[in-house]
């Protein structure tokens, strides 16, 4: 470990050396970070708020060891791979062949930190040549690692082709011996010479294809290309808050648009409620259905819960008036809802909308288009310590 927490800030050797500036707020005391994010969130939704808006205190995070996913660029050589980020050449013991080694990044969960040296050794053992941007030679571009709340791991090797597939398979047993918590291993093919984290083709190399993410009473099944929040503890708090607000509202019908692997929908499910989760990714929907079926088998009262693989905006706009629910949950990507869906919600007559956002700019823009709604409740969730970003949950009601 190259970092320590003192006087409210996280001291990181890589930041001090100027090798990594990803944590833009690293020198800001954590309490000040949290207060600033909460102020920014309240400001972003101020035009849709009034004196009756109930704003809860922000949900903090551990300042380090919280990130459940590592996205490591692989540089260096087969004999001496570097797992981290691209950086300047030379000048530091941790810089090699254009990369900065961040295997000891203090943001990652302890399980990921412990796994990365074994994965670096695997690069050498399986002869996975790191991709060199300047010469456009080599195969291995990234290694992506996710840790579940139970300490299980999913590892994805992002390569230009399937050339190394046989070698990866050959050495998998040895990797399992080094990392007993390893559950899912895949090869992702990304052939383009472009700043893309991953490609469309995913080859699962293990018997298990999903990583179970246990959150309270529900276990979500995370596929290799499925989205999940990077901060497990804060994500659990976000879902729990949404569950409580939905329970208070008691809608008989609810849509969860952009439902992903089903986090909000599963927490919203109740015996007397019809819940429909809509997600464009078929793999994510399959994971959500598996979670639903397992919960039902354990005797959980889920009511009428279904998931559909469809575009969220098209599904909403294409629905008939008689199908419109009493509540809509939206958790869009950073780009926000977009004008079409925001305008549909504005004119839909849906009484309540629960909006989870990771981008205050697009949240504010969407609320401006949805003037028929006011913020009834709100809370900031610090999903991303050491940066200016946060997740915000707002409950909207018709004015």
């Amino acid at each position: 470990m190259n970092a320590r927490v003192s006087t409210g800030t996280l001291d990181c050797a890589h930041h001090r050396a100027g090798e990594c500036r990803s944590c833009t707020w690293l020198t800001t005391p954590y309490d000040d970070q949290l207060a600033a994010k909460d102020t920014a969130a309240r400001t972003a939704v101020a035009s849709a708020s009034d004196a009756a808006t109930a704003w809860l205190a922000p949900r903090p995070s551990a300042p380090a060891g919280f990130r459940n996913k590592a996205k490591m660029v692989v540089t260096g050589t087969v004999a001496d791979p570097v797992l981290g980020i691209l950086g300047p050449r030379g000048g530091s013991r941790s810089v090699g062949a254009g990369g900065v080694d961040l295997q000891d990044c203090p943001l990652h969960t302890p399980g990921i930190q412990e796994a990365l040296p074994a994965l670096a050794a695997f690069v050498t053992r399986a002869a996975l040549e790191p991709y060199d941007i300047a010469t456009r030679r080599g195969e291995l571009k990234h290694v992506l690692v996710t840790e579940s709340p139970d300490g299980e791991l999913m590892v994805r090797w992002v390569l230009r082709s399937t050339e190394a597939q046989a070698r990866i398979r050959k050495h998998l047993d040895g990797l399992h011996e080094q990392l007993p918590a390893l559950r899912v291993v895949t090869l992702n093919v990304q052939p383009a010479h472009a700043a893309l984290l991953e490609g469309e083709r995913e080859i699962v190399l293990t018997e298990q294809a999903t990583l179970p993410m246990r959150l309270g009473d529900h276990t979500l099944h995370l596929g290799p290309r499925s989205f999940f929040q990077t901060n497990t503890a804060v994500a659990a708090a976000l879902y729990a808050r949404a569950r409580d607000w939905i329970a208070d509202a008691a809608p008989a019908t609810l849509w969860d648009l952009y439902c992903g692997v089903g986090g909000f929908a599963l927490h919203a499910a109740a015996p007397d409620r019809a819940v429909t989760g809509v997600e464009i990714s078929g793999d994510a929907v399959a994971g959500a259905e598996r979670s639903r079926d397992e919960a039902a088998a354990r005797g959980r009262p889920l009511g009428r819960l279904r998931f559909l693989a469809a575009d969220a905006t098209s599904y909403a706009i294409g629905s008939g008036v008689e199908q419109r629910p009493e509540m809509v949950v939206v958790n869009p990507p950073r780009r926000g809802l977009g004008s079409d869906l925001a305008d549909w919600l504005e004119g839909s007559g849906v009484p309540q909308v629960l909006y989870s956002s990771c981008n205050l700019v697009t949240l504010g823009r969407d609320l401006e288009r949805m003037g028929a709604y006011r913020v009834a409740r709100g809370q900031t969730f610090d999903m991303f310590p050491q940066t200016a970003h946060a997740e915000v949950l707002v409950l909207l009601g018709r004015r």
Side-chain angles (χ1 to χ4, degrees):
M1 175 70 71
N2 76 95
R4 64 183 186 276
V5 179
S6 62
T7 63
T9 61
L10 184 65
D11 179 29
C12 173
H14 297 296
H15 188 273
R16 280 189 278 108
E19 298 166 351
C20 177
R21 293 297 186 188
S22 299
C23 295
T24 53
W25 282 17
L26 196 70
T27 58
T28 302
Y30 182 70
D31 288 348
D32 293 345
Q33 293 184 31
L34 195 62
K37 293 180 186 187
D38 194 47
T39 297
R42 294 178 187 231
T43 301
V45 302
S47 62
S49 303
D50 56 32
T53 298
W55 198 271
L56 299 180
R59 172 51 163 87
S61 168
F66 63 86
R67 189 174 178 86
N68 60 28
K69 186 171 185 178
K71 303 176 182 180
M72 312 298 278
V73 178
V74 184
T75 55
T77 63
V78 170
D80 188 19
V82 176
L83 275 58
I85 60 173
L86 296 175
R89 296 177 182 271
S92 169
R93 59 177 172 78
S94 63
V95 176
V100 178
D101 196 294
L102 295 180
Q103 293 184 51
D104 58 351
C105 173
L107 300 190
H108 294 144
T109 60
I112 290 178
Q113 291 188 44
E114 293 171 6
L116 287 173
L119 297 174
F122 185 84
V123 172
T124 302
R125 190 159 60 251
L128 306 178
E129 182 182 0
Y131 181 65
D132 183 82
I133 295 176
T135 64
R136 302 193 180 191
R137 294 180 178 177
E139 281 288 317
L140 179 59
K141 291 186 171 183
H142 304 98
V143 58
L144 312 178
V145 190
T146 304
E147 184 180 19
S148 77
D150 295 318
E152 294 183 313
L153 298 171
M154 175 163 59
V155 174
R156 302 171 63 206
W157 302 101
V158 182
L159 296 106
R160 293 177 69 198
S161 73
T162 59
E163 179 272 333
Q165 182 176 347
R167 297 197 304 279
I168 293 176
R169 289 186 182 275
K170 175 183 176 181
H171 294 284
L172 266 187
D173 287 345
L175 186 59
H176 274 286
E177 290 177 4
Q178 286 188 284
L179 299 175
L182 189 60
R183 181 183 177 97
V184 182
V185 179
T186 73
L187 189 163
N188 178 274
V189 183
Q190 202 291 82
H193 180 73
L196 298 174
L197 184 65
E198 59 189 31
E200 295 294 327
R201 186 182 178 191
E202 196 90 27
I203 302 170
V204 179
L205 305 177
T206 48
E207 180 179 351
Q208 302 294 329
T210 61
L211 185 68
M213 304 292 286
R214 182 175 50 82
L215 298 177
D217 294 332
H218 295 286
T219 297
L220 308 182
H221 286 276
L222 183 62
R225 293 173 53 79
S226 298
F227 169 78
F228 185 76
Q229 301 283 4
T230 60
N231 191 322
T232 305
V234 177
L238 174 71
Y239 289 137
R241 181 64 66 201
R243 177 200 62 210
D244 293 345
W245 287 356
I246 293 168
D248 289 345
T253 53
L254 179 147
W255 290 353
D256 178 9
L257 304 182
Y258 308 99
C259 73
V261 293
F264 284 107
L266 285 159
H267 284 79
D272 56 350
R273 184 171 301 137
V275 176
T276 299
V278 181
E279 167 60 46
I280 198 167
S281 167
D283 288 343
V285 167
E289 290 176 333
R290 179 177 175 182
S291 298
R292 176 200 61 196
D293 294 345
E294 288 182 352
R298 294 194 302 270
R300 297 287 302 174
L302 298 178
R304 291 163 290 161
L305 173 60
R306 65 172 184 155
F307 293 97
L308 301 175
D311 175 74
T313 300
S314 297
Y315 177 81
I317 293 175
S319 65
V321 174
E322 69 282 356
Q323 295 176 289
R324 295 179 185 180
E326 294 180 8
M327 176 178 278
V328 171
V329 177
V330 289
N331 182 26
R334 288 190 60 80
R335 65 177 180 272
L337 298 178
S339 58
D340 289 344
L341 184 53
D343 289 347
W344 179 86
L345 284 166
E346 171 71 4
S348 68
V350 171
Q352 292 183 303
V353 175
L354 187 63
Y355 193 142
S356 182
S357 172
C358 63
N359 187 333
L360 294 179
V361 173
T362 55
L363 172 62
R365 184 183 66 205
D366 288 340
L367 292 184
E368 286 182 2
R369 298 189 73 98
M370 297 161 59
Y373 291 97
R374 57 170 287 275
V375 177
R377 293 177 172 180
Q379 188 173 15
T380 302
F381 294 80
D382 193 11
M383 204 75 70
F384 317 101
Q386 317 305 337
T387 75
H389 303 292
E391 190 84 10
V392 178
L393 186 68
V394 289
L395 178 64
L396 309 175
R398 288 267 164 177
R399 295 183 186 274

